[in-house]
Amino acid sequence: MQERIALSDIRAGRPDSAVVRDALGVGVAVGLSGFAFGVTSAGSGLTVWQTCALSLLVFTGASQFALVGALAAGGNPLTAAAGAFFLGVRNAFYGLRLSQVLALPRAVRPFAAQWVIDETAAVSLAQSGRRGARIGFAVTGVSLYVLWNLTTLLGALGAEAIGDTDAWGLDAAGPAVFLALLAPMVRTGTERAVAGLAVLLGLGMLPVLPAGVPVLVGALAAPVVLYAEGRRRKERA
């Protein structure tokens, strides 16, 4: 019975070549933005080795940009680290879903956990079969990890040659890539309401809260909108 389920699951998936093509496209496109992170991190005062260590060990772009952005703005290191940490917590929720989709052996899971990020989750969950999900996860993870770390090093080394990184606006590259990945996923009215309220909360708190904290406040948009949506449905019922 299990063999029949596994075979039907493989047949339901897309061709391997199509999955590899899409995974490489995401890995290369996002991996190149590591250059912007390397420049931004070096411009915020971190050394080349500190910058490279962040990409090697943390490997979640939004958290990395949040950390160096808060430090560059003069934020408290603890506050900056807290903001980066809470942004990274979302990967734990990706892991809960991916553990069911990928069903990797226990010995492999600790190593695969390093690659549980927005891009690998998006590519894996877009597949209809387990084989495709595993291929998408592996190809996206490998290509993105290698390219992100390589471009981080190049960006950190080239920061001095570029000069004033603020003038180039490279610190906006990370959020821009993240928004480009997120935008197609915002489809329903509820999702648009969450996104809009999060933007308003984040921007509204910028003048009054330390760097790195407004993004945490923006996360409150989800429970607020979901609560309002639940109340409205009960009233209709």
Side-chain angles (χ1 to χ4, degrees), residues 87-179:
L87 275 176
V89 166
R90 73 190 186 284
N91 295 333
F93 295 99
Y94 294 155
L96 293 176
R97 179 67 179 124
L98 288 175
S99 65
Q100 300 174 349
V101 174
L102 300 176
L104 297 173
R106 291 184 179 273
V108 178
R109 292 178 187 177
F111 302 98
Q114 177 70 354
W115 293 348
V116 177
I117 54 176
D118 300 311
E119 294 78 14
T120 55
V123 173
S124 298
L125 296 178
Q127 311 309 318
S128 57
R130 177 164 295 166
R131 177 183 174 86
R134 287 180 172 180
I135 293 174
F137 179 84
V139 175
T140 305
V142 171
S143 60
L144 183 51
Y145 189 78
V146 172
L147 192 56
W148 178 268
N149 282 282
L150 177 60
T151 54
T152 292
L153 174 60
L154 294 176
L157 292 174
E160 294 183 0
I162 291 177
D164 184 9
T165 57
D166 292 338
W168 290 80
L170 292 175
D171 55 333
V177 171
F178 186 75
L179 287 176

Side-chain angles (χ1 to χ4, degrees), residues 176-188 191-192:
V177 171
F178 186 75
L179 287 176
L181 291 171
L182 182 64
M185 302 174 66
V186 181
R187 300 172 181 173
T188 67
E191 292 169 345
R192 287 192 289 269

Side-chain angles (χ1 to χ4, degrees), residues 202-225:
L203 293 178
M205 294 295 103
L206 277 177
V208 296
L209 293 178
V213 177
V215 68
L216 302 181
V217 177
L220 297 175
V224 170
V225 172

Side-chain angles (χ1 to χ4, degrees), residues 5-89:
I5 294 175
L7 289 174
S8 64
D9 181 63
I10 291 174
R11 284 196 292 267
R14 301 166 59 209
D16 293 351
S17 58
V19 178
V20 171
R21 181 194 62 219
D22 293 346
L24 283 175
V26 173
V28 172
V30 180
L32 291 175
S33 64
F35 181 82
F37 170 72
V39 173
T40 304
S41 179
S44 68
L46 272 66
T47 66
V48 173
W49 295 112
Q50 289 171 331
T51 298
C52 292
L54 278 175
S55 285
L56 285 168
L57 302 177
V58 178
F59 188 54
T60 174
S63 296
Q64 293 178 230
F65 273 105
L67 176 63
V68 299
L71 293 176
N76 185 288
L78 294 178
T79 302
F85 172 79
F86 283 108
L87 275 176
V89 166

